Amino acid sequence: MQWVDPFAHSAATDRGRRVLWGRLAEGVVRVGQRLAVFPGGEPVHVVEVLSPTREPLAQSRSTTAGVVLDREVDISRGDWLLAAAPSAEAAPPAWAPVHECRATLAWMDTEPLQPGRSYWALHGHRWVKARVRQLHHRLDIRSLQPEAADTLAANALGEVTLQFQQPLPLAPYAQSRSLGALILVDTARHSTAAAALVC
């Protein structure tokens, strides 16, 4: 979620009183669709979809869209609206809220990776503190075969376990490019340290 603003028909009681604007990371958002708010966890339904020029739509595949939900919920910039299972008996959604994940890092910082150190992680528009709990191995750039390592230098690839201060809705990158990608930022210098792809 990138922006929240008051809805023109705020007197209506059958819907929320705000338009939730954001980038549609993947898929389609449509009227009547069941979603889940993250991190709040509340199930909601879409009652209106708006184009960037505020025209009502039945559905949108556009990269930017506004949605009005069936009621007011606690949601703000950086939160996610995610596809939810249509019923309790249906298969669970593709994403899961986790405090830890295994990821492949492309290390970009001139300072080497220090396992155990904390970084800022950017996931969508949400910032959380993250710690590189373990470096499992470095990947040989030519063969992509694992090799033993205790750090990663600039331009190196490696597989690590990341631990997050707050849960994130993650999915493997091969399954979802939006939910499976993160950026790590140095907390002191505010420079981009690494790109991370969830395994």
Side-chain angles (χ1 to χ4, degrees):
M1 195 56 51
Q2 295 169 289
W3 183 256
V4 180
D5 69 7
F7 187 53
H9 307 298
S10 59
T13 58
D14 62 338
R15 61 185 62 199
R17 299 185 178 185
R18 298 177 297 168
V19 181
L20 309 174
W21 294 98
R23 180 173 57 88
L24 185 61
E26 56 191 51
V28 179
V29 61
R30 59 175 57 89
V31 173
Q33 187 174 8
R34 186 173 183 266
L35 302 174
V37 176
F38 187 89
E42 292 187 66
V44 293
H45 286 86
V46 177
V47 296
E48 190 163 4
V49 178
L50 300 174
S51 73
T53 57
R54 293 182 175 266
E55 296 171 18
L57 303 169
Q59 67 179 31
S60 177
R61 293 180 183 272
S62 171
T63 54
T64 302
V67 296
V68 180
L69 303 177
D70 57 340
R71 66 187 186 283
E72 283 298 302
V73 293
D74 183 14
I75 190 168
S76 58
R77 179 177 168 82
D79 292 352
W80 288 83
L81 286 174
L82 298 163
S87 69
E89 295 78 25
W95 56 274
V98 296
H99 277 93
E100 186 174 289
C101 76
R102 194 152 169 154
T104 300
L105 289 189
W107 195 254
M108 297 184 280
D109 204 339
T110 53
E111 289 192 12
L113 165 68
Q114 299 175 27
R117 184 177 170 192
S118 291
Y119 297 88
W120 281 111
L122 175 62
H123 182 243
H125 293 278
R126 188 171 189 80
W127 290 93
V128 300
K129 279 284 185 73
R131 184 170 69 92
V132 180
R133 187 170 67 78
Q134 183 180 356
L135 171 61
H136 299 286
H137 53 254
R138 182 172 55 220
L139 294 170
D140 182 278
I141 293 179
R142 294 169 190 82
S143 65
L144 294 182
Q145 293 302 306
E147 52 189 29
D150 54 13
T151 188
L152 293 178
N155 301 318
L157 301 175
E159 201 161 294
V160 301
T161 294
L162 295 174
Q163 202 169 43
F164 306 106
Q165 192 175 44
Q166 299 171 350
L168 290 175
L170 299 180
Y173 183 79
Q175 184 178 316
S176 172
R177 294 179 64 181
S178 54
L179 295 178
L182 304 102
I183 298 291
L184 296 186
V185 174
D186 186 279
T187 56
R189 295 178 290 116
H190 305 289
S191 58
T192 300
L197 303 182
V198 178
C199 298

